[in-house]
Amino acid sequence: MKYTEEHEWLVTEGDIVTVGITKHAAEQLGDVVFVELPEVGTEITKDEEVVVIESVKAASDILAPLDGEIVEVNDAIVDAPSKVNDDPEGEAWFFKVKPSDLSPMDDYMDEAAYKDFIG
Amino acid sequence: MSALRQTPLHALHVELGAKMVDFAGYDMPVQYPMGIMGEHSHCREKAGLFDVSHMGQVILRAGDYETVAAAFESLIPMDVLGLGEGRQRYGFFTNDAGGIEDDLMFANRGDHLFVVVNAACKEADIARMTAALEPGVTVTPVTDRALLALQGPAAEAALATLLPEVADMRFMDVADVVWEGETLWISRSGYTGEDGFEISVPAAKADPLARALLADDRVAPIGLGARDSLRLEAGLCLYGHDIDTSTRPYEAALGWALQKARRADGARAGGYPGADHVFADRAALSRKRVGLRPEGRAPMREGVDLFAGADGGDPIGKITSGGFGPTVGGPVAMGYVPAELAEPGTKIFGALRGKRLPLTVTTLPFVAANFKR
């Protein structure tokens, strides 16, 4: 598993990367009440806003970690946003992307580096 | 930057694991480990304890109640003289344009008035009252007492365990009740839409009183986050957001707070700052605060521009408070719209992230009040 400074986690399986937010991010957000995901087939560009997530406190954006095409989204968290608090690093993944360029993956943090990052 | 002020319950908040934030210059709990959603629901289902000690408590005296009440009527559009002993009312200070300078609660405590004002406005309020009312009236800020609120359907049972006499109080009653040798000033009121009490307690007794209440399984501490979602569902205004110096009482849908004696045709009409502007609104209103239910699940928050149509046109108003209503189970908001669009059921639009999403004008409150009248 890799981690971004935006508190996303990324898991690579074959040529698909699954993206979600970390437990730390979910705790910081507080109770999640709304998630808006991109549509399957959308071409995304690294660092553009791809997901809107709102907690009882505030709205946040999630930035695309890679260039590529969205191949699957997790509608279950749109229907039940509280899953993001319950199981952020498991059941409540956000989307799967087929990257056109995997090279940014090398720059993302491993678990030890992410733990240092969040202190 | 000056250091944040602390209430007498600060150490307790930290001990309870609260996340602390700067609110009106005070280091206050925004939430406890239960979280905003859990705290909100706990307060609606059982009872919640709030620290509102940052608010301003002020005593006004002028010999007898009639004298101080008559003087206070020069600053607020409420019937102060007609308020019975041991009773409380909602009110607000107005400015020369009829705008609202702050909202407040005032109580007839026999020979004096007890006023509670917002934390962010308290210095200005005290200065306003002092300038306008002294020397005939003595304005005394109460700085040696904390203020707690206990709110929710189990509030009466929980407080009556310590103080059985509170069970006899009705909504908006005030009473002195002695606890462990100290006199508490209690009102049956609050800011959640639930039954409950606000308790003014000597600072040294605030921590033991809070702990005694929290020892009851039904009572949980509630932070400012849930306080905001609870008052929003109850349709109650937050000063500086839903009402401010540019909003007048009838625009703010607060006409109910102006009793008959002070209206244009009343026995003591006007006589407060901006009365003519307030009277003009009663005859013909140009805009009004309304409840708004966004369709779908996306919360629409303060500052979202409102439009009459799905595209084109200039904004018709703004959302002044909005978010997710845990008891409603969806987004709720309040805002100002032109009077002709204020009818419940009217569909308007809010601009969210570049899209116009529909909202329906709704009666307030979103969650029915649960007062013990």
Side-chain angles (χ1 to χ4, degrees):
Chain A
M1 196 179 279
K2 291 280 202 168
Y3 299 87
T4 74
E5 292 189 359
E6 300 287 319
H7 305 283
E8 292 148 292
W9 55 260
L10 301 90
V11 168
T12 310
E13 287 168 288
D15 60 351
I16 304 294
V17 177
T18 305
V19 179
I21 62 165
T22 65
K23 192 161 176 289
H24 173 79
E27 282 167 5
Q28 293 298 310
L29 281 168
D31 303 302
V32 174
V33 297
F34 173 77
V35 180
E36 187 175 270
L37 297 172
E39 285 179 25
V40 171
T42 307
E43 292 289 340
I44 60 171
T45 307
K46 185 175 179 298
D47 295 336
E48 74 172 350
E49 295 159 6
V50 282
V51 172
V52 175
I53 181 164
E54 296 221 16
S55 73
V56 282
K57 284 181 272 186
S60 320
D61 296 312
I62 290 183
L63 306 182
L66 299 160
D67 293 348
E69 184 190 344
I70 299 287
V71 293
E72 195 178 344
V73 298
N74 187 2
D75 287 323
I77 61 170
V78 175
D79 296 335
S82 62
K83 284 183 197 288
V84 176
N85 297 108
D86 297 338
D87 191 13
E89 299 188 9
E91 197 189 346
W93 56 276
F94 278 44
F95 58 85
K96 297 185 182 193
V97 55
K98 185 173 185 177
S100 53
D101 175 14
L102 270 167
S103 63
M105 289 297 283
D106 300 333
D107 300 332
Y108 289 137
M109 294 174 273
D110 61 14
E111 188 175 352
Y114 181 68
K115 278 193 172 150
D116 281 349
F117 176 69
I118 61 176
Chain B
M1 202 186 96
S2 59
L4 291 179
R5 296 158 83 176
Q6 297 183 354
T7 75
L9 294 182
H10 188 270
L12 178 60
H13 299 316
V14 173
E15 181 184 320
L16 291 169
K19 188 170 167 184
M20 306 296 286
V21 297
D22 175 2
F23 185 83
Y26 284 80
D27 196 32
M28 296 298 287
V30 67
Q31 66 175 83
Y32 297 87
M34 188 186 280
I36 294 173
M37 201 96 95
E39 291 169 29
H40 179 111
S41 300
H42 188 96
C43 184
R44 288 260 186 263
E45 289 157 16
K46 294 175 183 168
L49 181 68
F50 303 73
D51 180 10
V52 289
S53 306
H54 55 313
M55 297 184 78
Q57 305 180 59
V58 185
I59 286 175
L60 306 181
R61 282 185 192 275
D64 57 23
Y65 182 77
E66 283 66 33
T67 310
V68 72
F72 199 43
E73 286 194 357
S74 70
L75 289 178
I76 70 170
M78 283 75 216
D79 181 358
V80 188
L81 275 164
L83 179 64
E85 182 171 345
R87 295 289 293 163
Q88 177 176 264
R89 264 179 188 153
Y90 174 76
F92 33 78
F93 294 114
T94 50
N95 58 35
D96 290 338
I100 299 172
E101 291 283 315
D102 192 14
D103 63 345
L104 56 95
M105 301 295 281
F106 62 97
N108 175 348
R109 288 177 39 85
D111 62 350
H112 68 273
L113 268 171
F114 178 56
V115 183
V116 178
V117 299
N118 283 301
C121 302
K122 65 183 174 184
E123 273 82 22
D125 291 339
I126 290 162
R128 169 183 299 105
M129 290 188 281
T130 303
L133 305 180
E134 287 194 341
V137 172
T138 310
V139 178
T140 311
V142 178
T143 54
D144 57 355
R145 297 179 81 94
L147 193 64
L148 311 188
L150 184 68
Q151 301 278 296
E156 179 189 286
L159 190 58
T161 307
L162 304 181
L163 309 164
E165 50 269 68
V166 301
D168 296 331
M169 296 174 71
R170 315 291 299 183
F171 183 59
M172 290 293 208
D173 277 352
V174 297
D176 284 0
V177 181
V178 176
W179 181 69
E180 293 190 348
E182 296 282 357
T183 302
L184 311 181
W185 306 340
I186 300 181
S187 73
R188 192 154 197 165
S189 62
Y191 192 48
T192 60
E194 297 298 323
D195 181 28
F197 302 87
E198 293 198 344
I199 308 162
S200 174
V201 50
K205 277 287 186 189
D207 183 274
L209 177 61
R211 286 177 197 274
L213 291 168
L214 290 169
D216 190 311
D217 285 344
R218 293 166 290 197
V219 180
I222 312 293
L224 294 174
R227 181 171 163 82
D228 191 51
S229 55
L230 287 159
R231 71 91 197 166
L232 173 58
E233 284 186 340
L236 299 169
C237 291
L238 176 60
Y239 191 78
H241 301 261
D242 307 297
I243 48 176
D244 60 28
T245 55
S246 72
T247 57
R248 295 187 299 270
Y250 286 103
E251 294 179 327
L254 295 174
W256 57 268
L258 283 74
Q259 289 81 20
K260 195 169 185 313
R262 305 300 306 284
R263 294 185 188 164
D265 54 355
R268 298 188 309 285
Y272 55 88
D276 289 347
H277 297 278
V278 175
F279 293 154
D281 279 341
R282 193 161 189 236
L285 205 55
S286 63
R287 61 171 185 160
K288 198 178 167 198
R289 178 178 63 98
V290 294
L292 297 165
R293 280 295 313 266
E295 287 180 18
R297 307 175 82 106
M300 290 199 206
R301 300 178 193 270
E302 181 178 4
V304 166
D305 281 322
L306 299 171
F307 295 87
D311 42 43
D314 293 326
I316 55 162
K318 262 187 198 308
I319 287 179
T320 52
S321 280
F324 184 82
T327 305
V328 169
V332 290
M334 301 194 291
Y336 285 81
V337 298
E340 63 272 21
L341 295 174
E343 199 59 37
T346 306
K347 188 179 276 194
I348 60 172
F349 296 84
L352 194 65
R353 295 182 276 270
K355 279 182 268 187
R356 290 211 191 157
L357 301 176
L359 310 95
T360 305
V361 174
T362 314
T363 53
L364 293 170
F366 297 106
V367 174
N370 191 23
F371 303 138
K372 187 181 170 187
R373 300 216 187 250

